[in-house]
Amino acid sequence: MSQLHAAITAVNGYVPDEVVTNFDLEKIVDTTDEWIRSRTGIIERRKLTGEGKGSSDMAVPAVEGLLEKRGISAKEIDLLICASVTPDYVFPATSNVICDKIGATNAWGYDLSAACSGFLFGLETGRRFIESGQYKKVVVVGVDKMSAILNYEDRNTCIIFGDGGGAVLLEPTTEEVGIMDSILKVDGSGREFLHQKAGGSVLPPSHETIDQRLHYVYQEGKTVFKFAVTNMAEVSYDIMQRNNLSSDDVDWLVPHQANKRIIDATANRMGVPSERVMLNIQRYGNTTSGTLPLCLWDYENQLKKGDNLILAAFGGGFTWGAIYIKWAYDPK
Ligand code: UT7
């Protein structure tokens, strides 16, 4: 019997309407459009506004659009995995909320927390469920409402992140397409450089944690930058080597959108020219778990069946990795 592969058969994204430009941020923190553009590549990002709106409010339209594109009903979903560091609640899982809101009554699901590598980790686990033969339709969501945990008085972090997310549908195929290989890593000793200090069981919410502003993203940018540049480039290079892919064989690098300089370093290490590197950081900033599905969504019309894609990410934790995908369908 030929081997079962997990193929992405549809992709969709969602970003909220409200645009926050670098010029808007100039008015609230000591920064400039020039600094943000030159150091990160970001020009604007999106923000989810409105009382009571959480990450699921972006995931739901993303998944509903995904199902519509594929022409299937929510009841056909077997499993929904949601990667996010800004879940609707500490519990229940946002995957539960999404399934309820879209009417995925035959699905089970869970959340996965791996910061900016969350979508990669979700893809890898979703892939294994499909390859088991027991699951036919697995949805992997990557979504974050970063504005919920940003301190808009901290110019080190508030300029980088944005809100948004996307989703893919995984289905089995016996063709030589789909998710072919993955290299995923964690190094918990890096956790102090990028994290949210309070709100978990170590430092539950209290007046003190609020007063000390410990519920926001904390990042030592320079240190994270150094680790990200090295590790994202190396893991992307390693997955090429392991699969005997030359630079010419890589049709697309799909990099996590944290900083244009990290993306360029990764592409250089792989020898992939900029016209084959997906880039939308200028419009959305860093949406954490959302960057990779948003890239696939933006570039979907340029992807052809058989194209070799390398997805790569680096994030808080630290977490990082790369996934090699043979794209499964031509533009519609
Ligand atoms: O997605 C998850 C993983 N995260 C990442 O991969 C992010 C990695 N880090 C980065 O992308 C970059 O480190 C940042 C974009 C966060 C910062 O860029 P940088 O080139 O590393 O700047 P820096 O932190 O070394 O700061 C350089 C200078 C400092 O001033 P002094 O000390 O040289 O006077 C900062 O205070 O720039 C200053 N600065 C700013 N100036 C204007 C920091 N943030 C800003 C700002 N506007 N927003």
Side-chain angles (χ1 to χ4, degrees):
M1 205 180 93
S2 43
Q3 199 193 333
L4 269 190
H5 291 294
I8 293 176
T9 56
V11 54
N12 200 43
Y14 178 86
V15 287
D17 292 336
E18 184 166 329
V19 175
V20 180
T21 66
N22 292 346
F23 297 106
D24 294 327
L25 292 173
E26 277 184 2
K27 294 180 196 130
I28 55 173
V29 283
D30 181 14
T31 192
T32 60
D33 171 61
E34 202 284 325
W35 192 96
I36 301 172
R37 266 181 211 239
S38 60
R39 298 285 180 125
T40 69
I42 301 166
I43 297 174
E44 59 187 42
R45 70 288 291 141
R46 301 299 178 99
K47 188 173 183 184
L48 183 66
T49 52
E51 192 93 350
K53 298 257 189 237
S55 290
S56 74
D57 293 291
M58 296 182 286
V60 164
V63 177
E64 284 177 340
L66 180 81
L67 301 176
E68 199 179 313
K69 272 168 123 174
R70 185 73 182 126
I72 62 168
S73 108
K75 298 203 169 15
E76 293 178 63
I77 302 173
D78 300 311
L79 166 63
L80 187 144
I81 302 168
C82 177
S84 185
V85 292
T86 51
D88 282 13
Y89 309 101
V90 173
F91 73 92
T94 305
S95 61
N96 261 27
V97 180
I98 299 168
C99 285
D100 177 50
K101 287 182 176 175
I102 65 173
T105 47
N106 296 313
W108 69 287
Y110 57 90
D111 285 4
L112 189 153
S113 173
C116 300
S117 310
F119 184 75
L120 281 189
F121 285 25
L123 264 189
E124 173 64 3
T125 42
R127 164 199 183 186
R128 300 302 179 181
F129 282 101
I130 293 285
E131 288 177 352
S132 75
Q134 206 181 328
Y135 294 83
K136 308 293 180 214
K137 289 185 171 52
V138 174
V139 173
V140 180
V141 177
V143 66
D144 268 301
K145 182 190 172 188
M146 293 305 291
S147 62
I149 55 169
L150 284 180
N151 177 358
Y152 283 95
E153 292 178 3
D154 176 13
R155 68 177 183 176
N156 291 298
T157 49
C158 75
I159 56 120
I160 303 170
F161 295 98
D163 299 342
V168 297
L169 179 67
L170 295 176
E171 293 183 82
T173 177
T174 50
E175 289 187 62
E176 272 305 297
V177 293
I179 301 173
M180 310 309 284
D181 195 16
S182 71
I183 305 177
L184 301 173
K185 310 253 188 187
V186 298
D187 177 0
S189 68
R191 64 189 178 279
E192 66 190 272
F193 303 115
L194 174 49
H195 63 161
Q196 186 180 327
K197 292 179 189 293
S201 54
V202 170
L203 269 181
S206 66
H207 281 296
E208 287 72 30
T209 62
I210 303 277
D211 289 345
Q212 291 172 38
R213 304 180 160 239
L214 302 181
H215 295 269
Y216 294 125
V217 175
Y218 171 84
Q219 174 170 252
E220 288 181 27
K222 234 186 203 8
T223 309
V224 178
F225 185 89
K226 277 187 209 146
F227 277 95
V229 157
T230 315
N231 288 308
M232 203 164 116
E234 279 316 304
V235 79
S236 307
Y237 182 74
D238 289 349
I239 205 162
M240 284 171 68
Q241 295 285 302
R242 197 156 94 172
N243 291 279
N244 299 315
L245 297 171
S246 71
S247 330
D248 288 341
D249 296 326
V250 177
D251 296 290
W252 292 99
L253 167 63
V254 190
H256 172 52
Q257 310 281 306
N259 189 313
K260 170 90 165 42
R261 290 181 288 148
I262 300 173
I263 295 171
D264 291 344
T266 304
N268 282 342
R269 179 75 177 101
M270 298 167 73
V272 175
S274 59
E275 59 272 20
R276 288 192 265 128
V277 178
M278 294 190 188
L279 193 76
N280 57 19
I281 191 172
Q282 66 281 10
R283 287 187 289 140
Y284 306 142
N286 181 350
T287 55
T288 304
S289 313
T291 60
L292 295 177
L294 282 174
C295 276
L296 293 174
W297 178 50
D298 272 351
Y299 283 81
E300 184 188 17
N301 287 338
Q302 297 182 53
L303 300 177
K304 297 185 298 299
K305 187 171 179 178
D307 276 358
N308 291 317
L309 276 60
I310 304 288
L311 280 62
F314 184 91
F318 292 133
T319 60
W320 70 101
I323 287 189
Y324 166 35
I325 295 176
K326 259 194 182 299
W327 197 247
Y329 58 97
D330 285 319
K332 301 274 164 358

